[in-house]
Amino acid sequence: MSSLPRHEAPINRPAAWRVQPTWTSLLPKGVRSCPPLGSADGHTTYVSAVVTTVLDGRPVAVTGSGDNTVRVWDLSTGELIGAPWTGHTNTVRALAMSVLDGRPVVVSGGDDGTVRVWELASGKPVGEPFHLQDGVRALAIAERHGRQVVVTACYHTPVGVWDLETRQEVMAPIRGHSGPVYAVATAVLDGRWVAVTSGRTVRVWDLDTGDPVGSPFTRDSGHVSALAVTELTPGHPVVVSGGYQTTTRVSDLATGLPVGDLPRSVDLKSVTTTVMDNRPLAITCTSDEPTIQVWDLRTAELVDELYPQHPRTLLAVATAVMDGRQVVVSSCDGGSVRVSDLVVDRPADKPERHDAAITAVATTSVAGRPVAVTGSADATVRAWDLETGDQVCRPLTDHTGPITVVAATQVDGRAVALAGGKDGEARVWDLALGKAAGAPLAAHRGPITAIAADDTDDPPRAITAGDDKTIRVWDLRTGEETGNPRKSDHRSVQALTTTTLDDRPVALLGRRGGGFRVRDLTANRDTQLQTTGSNGKPVRLVAATLADGRPIAVTTNDDWRDPWTKVWDVATAQQIGQLRTTYKDVYMMNVDVLAATTIDGHPIALTASQRTVAAWSLATFDRIIPDLAFPDQVNAVAATPQGHVIVCFGRDIAVLTMARSS
């Protein structure tokens, strides 16, 4: 699921089946990639620095990487311009733009202890490199006595100021930080050029004298590794700073006094600033978020989030202008570079997604339209129209802790969702009304580990399992428990689903020794039907569907030595096949997530391992589409008979449509 517009997954479509993307909850805006997907021209490892400029009238990005190269990209096409610039012998950590003798140049610094100057148009080196005694962590351009200077920040040596043309150090090293200097920025304060540097504290220095300006900006903890300078209002410069275990802070450049903090922005990786519609904006990325955050600096409010869909952690951000509109260019530690349209239009009263990882998903229909129900670690449940991506009701927020499991069904023609969590309560929600449908089903002592629902019999029922080793069945009309709770045959029941057998609703419960046993939901009793044999390891996941009216079950064991996904005929409790869940056809992988459905009469299964989803025929036991790769851990999958494939990865829900080709 790399970043093409509208979440177009890079899928080769075989003749038998086709898959097309529909939407994601984060709704990426105008996302494109550099290099194009499938290109061999990209960086081979993390991209640690990005700057933007214009070359021959075209907006371009200049990137530096752990592969020791600098590259230039056409932002409109995503194509590499010229060959990579080589010369650094270690990671390129820092980049800046300047003009030398009327020519635009790029200044780069790296872990090899050199600063190099390159002609932007040709990529040729300009003069000899600066040779420092330490790796260059950051650099910035300023003026001193009318000449261009480079300010360098290093791991173990003081801040240096160098003449860009002569390569000579023009003043004594700036000392004051007690440890590494992680970031540097330059600005004009009261008509004089200053450097802003950061380590454990943030400090401002007069570039004429090398003297400190004001007192250090104090921090509570951690270190400051990202800086940007902008104006909050005309004539009022501020510093935006943050880093490891520190909140991102906005401080007055002249006094160092805090102006405000940006919430939810600890562990800042990179920050840049821009102005849109006369609003000063800070654009940030953090180490634990797959999104880019856009902040109004005057109000300290989050006004937009961009989702460039990088495959790994974001490292750097910059802004540019393309065709009259602003964009954000970002990079990650997987080597990708993405361009995202900056459109600050996020309605404050319309949440677009969960605020934490999605942990569970189920499907049903509301007013005849297919719907996905998601539960999250943010303690909310949301329902999404599978065709449009709109939320069909308000977020359901009365849970007291993270949601661990969800199910969905119909009760007297009304769609309901069931959600359970670590508080031991299962709540029932009316999806049409967006409110609770009765009191919580509160009977488990400890977290609820599995939940399923059935509406094929009267009354409609739910079955829940908990960490307290009990399995309970509920009448969804009354909210009352039916029959006595049953003890599970092992502690934590996580393998639980419902189906029909001989026109009766049953639950399939994963067995401790492998396979499943069948429980009659009407009587809330185990039947005599169960798989035989034992490998000593419990079944971790079970899913079921119907093929020609016969129930088929799919199970996975909690054992890395037996990673096969097994397929069973429920009526006979006999294994009829298995799915070879391999990674790139090299080695077997345990399945983390499992789902099953029947599309156009053809039973299929979905399996997910880490960030990869595979689709299988339960008739031939073969893959029916190439594996789908996602940019974050896949925590839940589901599928509908209409062909919707729902994949929940990180905080995002992606919906694709799968159908058999004619």
Side-chain angles (χ1 to χ4, degrees), residues 137-194:
R137 176 83 186 194
L139 57 80
I141 304 298
E143 284 189 17
R144 184 176 188 272
H145 300 165
R147 295 183 64 85
Q148 296 280 299
V149 293
V150 182
V151 184
T152 57
C154 298
Y155 292 91
H156 306 294
T157 56
V159 174
V161 182
W162 310 77
D163 187 291
L164 179 60
E165 186 173 1
T166 68
R167 313 297 199 257
Q168 299 299 309
E169 202 164 9
V170 298
M171 58 188 294
I174 297 175
R175 304 177 185 274
H177 290 284
S178 58
V181 179
Y182 295 103
V184 61
T186 55
V188 176
L189 176 64
D190 297 330
R192 54 185 171 164
W193 278 91
V194 297

Side-chain angles (χ1 to χ4, degrees), residues 430-450:
D430 186 311
L431 295 180
L433 299 178
K435 66 178 185 180
L441 312 180
H444 288 283
R445 296 187 300 275
I448 294 178
T449 56

Side-chain angles (χ1 to χ4, degrees), residues 72-215:
V72 182
W73 307 96
D74 186 316
L75 291 180
S76 297
T77 66
E79 294 178 352
L80 182 67
I81 299 175
W85 304 352
T86 58
H88 284 283
T89 59
N90 209 327
T91 298
V92 180
R93 293 282 179 191
L95 295 168
M97 295 299 306
S98 188
V99 176
L100 189 62
D101 296 330
R103 297 174 297 173
V105 295
V106 178
V107 184
S108 62
D111 283 351
D112 59 1
T114 67
V115 174
R116 296 172 183 266
V117 183
W118 314 81
E119 186 179 63
L120 175 63
S122 66
K124 294 180 179 179
V126 179
E128 294 298 318
F130 306 26
H131 289 279
L132 284 66
Q133 297 178 344
D134 194 6
V136 178
R137 176 83 186 194
L139 57 80
I141 304 298
E143 284 189 17
R144 184 176 188 272
H145 300 165
R147 295 183 64 85
Q148 296 280 299
V149 293
V150 182
V151 184
T152 57
C154 298
Y155 292 91
H156 306 294
T157 56
V159 174
V161 182
W162 310 77
D163 187 291
L164 179 60
E165 186 173 1
T166 68
R167 313 297 199 257
Q168 299 299 309
E169 202 164 9
V170 298
M171 58 188 294
I174 297 175
R175 304 177 185 274
H177 290 284
S178 58
V181 179
Y182 295 103
V184 61
T186 55
V188 176
L189 176 64
D190 297 330
R192 54 185 171 164
W193 278 91
V194 297
V196 186
T197 59
S198 67
R200 291 285 179 179
T201 61
V202 177
R203 295 173 179 253
V204 183
W205 311 91
D206 188 311
L207 284 177
D208 278 342
T209 65
D211 295 332
V213 178
S215 301

Side-chain angles (χ1 to χ4, degrees), residues 471-548:
I471 301 168
R472 300 172 183 269
V473 178
W474 309 85
D475 183 324
L476 286 177
R477 281 206 188 100
T478 65
E480 299 294 329
E481 189 172 2
T482 64
N484 296 318
R486 301 287 177 177
K487 290 291 184 180
S488 67
D489 64 354
H490 55 283
R491 175 164 175 72
S492 179
V493 178
Q494 296 178 338
L496 169 65
T497 191
T498 57
T499 187
T500 57
L501 180 62
D502 299 327
D503 296 325
R504 292 177 65 83
V506 297
L508 307 183
L509 308 175
R511 291 184 61 233
R512 182 177 183 83
F516 58 87
R517 54 197 173 98
V518 180
R519 169 161 293 182
D520 188 313
L521 284 179
T522 304
N524 191 18
R525 291 182 179 275
D526 284 347
T527 68
Q528 299 300 311
L529 188 61
Q530 65 177 12
T531 58
T532 59
S534 174
N535 63 3
K537 296 292 182 180
V539 163
R540 188 162 58 94
L541 301 170
V542 61
T545 189
L546 295 174
D548 297 326

Side-chain angles (χ1 to χ4, degrees), residues 250-270:
V250 183
S251 307
D252 188 288
L253 176 62
T255 66
L257 295 175
V259 175
D261 290 343
L262 304 183
R264 254 189 59 210
S265 58
V266 175
D267 292 339
L268 188 70
K269 298 294 287 188
S270 181

Side-chain angles (χ1 to χ4, degrees), residues 290-466:
T291 59
I292 297 168
Q293 300 84 41
V294 183
W295 305 88
D296 186 318
L297 285 175
R298 289 179 185 154
T299 63
E301 292 179 341
L302 184 68
V303 294
D304 200 11
E305 279 190 289
L306 311 177
Y307 191 45
Q309 305 165 73
H310 283 288
R312 297 177 66 177
T313 303
L314 282 96
L315 290 182
V317 291
T319 61
V321 176
M322 292 176 53
D323 302 324
R325 69 186 190 278
Q326 291 208 56
V327 298
V328 178
V329 184
S330 58
S331 69
C332 86
D333 64 1
S336 62
V337 180
R338 303 284 193 249
V339 184
S340 307
D341 284 343
L342 178 57
V343 183
V344 182
D345 59 356
R346 178 174 180 244
D349 58 350
K350 185 183 177 183
E352 292 184 347
R353 55 151 177 78
H354 286 284
D355 288 327
I358 299 173
T359 53
V361 63
T363 62
T364 186
S365 63
V366 176
R369 296 187 63 84
V371 167
V373 180
T374 54
S376 167
D378 66 5
T380 69
V381 175
R382 297 174 188 252
W384 313 81
D385 187 307
L386 287 176
E387 301 291 348
T388 66
D390 294 333
Q391 294 188 55
V392 301
C393 62
R394 68 174 183 85
L396 308 173
T397 59
D398 291 347
H399 290 270
T400 59
I403 308 299
T404 53
V405 289
V406 297
T409 191
Q410 301 283 318
V411 176
D412 298 326
R414 299 188 67 84
V416 299
L418 299 92
K422 294 184 177 180
D423 58 6
E425 289 187 346
R427 294 179 180 268
V428 185
W429 300 98
D430 186 311
L431 295 180
L433 299 178
K435 66 178 185 180
L441 312 180
H444 288 283
R445 296 187 300 275
I448 294 178
T449 56
I451 193 168
D454 174 80
D455 62 0
T456 61
D457 196 27
D458 192 45
R461 297 177 178 86
I463 181 169
T464 61

